[in-house]
Amino acid sequence: RASIRLMCLAVADYDDGTRLAAAEALRIVAQPGHKVVSAALRDHLKCWRGDVRRTAAKALGKLGGQNDPADIKAICACFQDTDLEVHRLALETLGQLAPRGNAAALGDLALRLGRAPPATTALDSLTILLRAVLQTVDPAGDAAWAQRLLPYVEDPRPEVRALAVEALIEASPKGGADGTFDPFNALLVRLGEPPVPKPIVPDEDGESESSEDKPLAPPAPPRVEDDDEDEDGEGDGEVAEDEQEPAEPEVVVYPLDASAAVRRAALAGLALLPHVSEARVV
């Protein structure tokens, strides 16, 4: 229809009120997922004007197609926008278009989250990306995403750590599934506790790997006698190798996280991962 085409063009108008009126008119006359409307809004997301991109990002949440890979990909691209308001609107829109566990959204977020090292990514854009992961990751658990989030739990910025802990809890497999020890240990370290050793896992034959099953170490090479040694076997003031005092074991200290928000999130996470039983935590 010609009216829909005109409304789509008006989304790029220079007047704020006109753009908003056009988006509202499209919401009334067009069904969500309308091919022409969605394509026009995706094009407007590439406009050089930030005000047009903001209007299009917000409108796509009401007019885009749920689970539509093209719309989801276009809105995820907004997380690389130079305008942080576009990021925030994209976060809201992604929640409207992509249900929890959506493969297209999570795949795109994984690419964008991995494009820059955690410590060098701009704070605002990184926190918005982590919020997008938090609202999109499958709450039943996704071991791959849990591993991907672990480095952000160690980020020097408390805002990033708090969001990363929340997202890590959401992504951790539930109900005794595998892949939960690394997230559980990450929460313990945030609370100033040492990590829990992983349990012994049986091999394919059903036998557990232990120190007794490991092959014996090769024998030590024969000791070469020192010409300067006296009859008692002692050299010139040197202590024999087997008589040296054993080195003190290195003590690793896990300091309590300085952020109260991180500590609160970690404590909540411990309650949501009850399958790490007391039998394992000794």
Side-chain angles (χ1 to χ4, degrees), residues 112-135:
R112 299 185 188 284
L113 199 60
R115 280 181 179 172
T120 61
T121 306
L123 176 61
D124 289 335
S125 60
L126 178 56
T127 53
I128 290 174
L129 264 179
L130 288 172
R131 288 185 188 280
V133 174
L134 178 60
Q135 73 178 21

Side-chain angles (χ1 to χ4, degrees), residues 20 73 159 177 195 221:
L20 294 175
K73 184 177 180 179
E159 303 93 332

Side-chain angles (χ1 to χ4, degrees), residues 205-257:
D205 299 329
E207 298 180 358
S208 299
E209 291 186 5
S210 65
S211 58
E212 297 179 356
D213 299 327
K214 295 180 181 178
L216 295 176
R223 181 181 176 188
V224 179
E225 296 291 340
D226 191 346
D227 294 338
D228 296 332
E229 284 185 333
D230 54 23
E231 295 179 358
D232 297 331
E234 296 181 358
D236 298 333
E238 296 182 358
V239 180
E241 185 177 346
D242 54 354
E243 296 179 3
Q244 291 181 357
E245 295 183 1
E248 291 290 334
E250 183 180 355
V251 178
V252 181
V253 178
Y254 297 91
L256 194 69
D257 197 291

Side-chain angles (χ1 to χ4, degrees), residues 93-164:
T93 296
L94 183 64
Q96 296 169 322
L97 296 181
R100 302 296 295 267
N102 182 271
L106 290 172
D108 202 286
L109 289 172
L111 289 175
R112 299 185 188 284
L113 199 60
R115 280 181 179 172
T120 61
T121 306
L123 176 61
D124 289 335
S125 60
L126 178 56
T127 53
I128 290 174
L129 264 179
L130 288 172
R131 288 185 188 280
V133 174
L134 178 60
Q135 73 178 21
T136 310
V137 73
D138 189 350
D142 187 328
W145 260 105
Q147 290 295 322
R148 191 175 287 119
L149 290 164
L150 284 174
Y152 295 90
V153 177
E154 303 290 336
D155 194 275
R157 295 160 292 191
E159 303 93 332
V160 174
R161 292 200 305 277
L163 280 170

Side-chain angles (χ1 to χ4, degrees), residues 4-149:
I4 290 181
R5 183 178 62 83
L6 290 173
M7 292 172 190
C8 289
L9 290 174
V11 172
D13 196 276
Y14 279 90
D15 178 66
D16 289 345
T18 302
R19 289 197 308 275
L20 294 175
E24 179 62 20
L26 283 171
R27 188 186 66 80
I28 294 172
V29 302
Q31 293 293 327
H34 191 286
K35 298 288 185 182
V36 175
V37 174
S38 292
L41 292 176
R42 292 197 300 268
D43 286 340
H44 288 322
L45 288 175
K46 303 173 186 176
C47 180
W48 64 272
R49 288 167 47 206
D51 52 359
V52 174
R53 298 197 304 276
R54 289 192 289 271
T55 303
K58 187 173 183 178
L60 194 60
K62 299 176 181 178
L63 297 168
Q66 256 205 340
N67 271 327
D68 187 296
D71 289 346
I72 290 172
K73 184 177 180 179
I75 207 64
C76 284
C78 294
F79 293 124
Q80 301 297 128
D81 200 284
T82 55
D83 186 338
L84 279 175
E85 185 59 28
V86 175
H87 288 224
R88 297 186 182 95
L89 291 169
L91 175 65
E92 179 182 340
T93 296
L94 183 64
Q96 296 169 322
L97 296 181
R100 302 296 295 267
N102 182 271
L106 290 172
D108 202 286
L109 289 172
L111 289 175
R112 299 185 188 284
L113 199 60
R115 280 181 179 172
T120 61
T121 306
L123 176 61
D124 289 335
S125 60
L126 178 56
T127 53
I128 290 174
L129 264 179
L130 288 172
R131 288 185 188 280
V133 174
L134 178 60
Q135 73 178 21
T136 310
V137 73
D138 189 350
D142 187 328
W145 260 105
Q147 290 295 322
R148 191 175 287 119
L149 290 164

